[in-house]
Amino acid sequence: MALSYNKLWKLLIDKNMNKVALRDQTGIGPSTLSKLTRNKRVSMEVLEKICKELGCNIGDIVDYVED
């Protein structure tokens, strides 16, 4: 199973926000941001924080991609 957070990065661009601002506003740690950048799994709690901050649904920031 592979995940892609490309939708998240596109959404950040649309909202004129960078990764550091996302990290600061959601309170996620640098290692978690690194996991997102490398399309690694993160907790649902992290995804919930991001969705709350960006005003979106999980499907707006993550995709399941077949290997």
Side-chain angles (χ1 to χ4, degrees):
M1 175 171 78
L3 300 174
S4 170
Y5 298 103
N6 287 339
K7 287 181 173 181
L8 171 59
W9 312 130
K10 290 175 185 172
L11 186 57
L12 289 181
I13 291 168
D14 292 344
K15 293 187 176 274
N16 294 316
M17 182 183 281
N18 63 30
K19 293 177 183 180
V20 175
L22 176 69
R23 186 188 74 204
D24 292 344
Q25 292 177 16
T26 57
I28 62 176
S31 61
T32 302
L33 184 61
S34 177
K35 285 181 181 180
L36 289 166
T37 302
R38 293 180 286 127
N39 291 320
K40 301 293 181 183
R41 291 182 187 162
V42 295
S43 72
M44 284 298 285
E45 182 180 339
V46 168
L47 297 176
E48 288 174 19
K49 287 179 182 181
I50 292 170
C51 288
K52 183 177 180 180
E53 182 62 38
L54 298 178
C56 66
N57 291 312
I58 289 176
D60 296 330
I61 62 172
V62 64
D63 270 329
Y64 172 78
V65 182
E66 293 286 332
D67 289 328

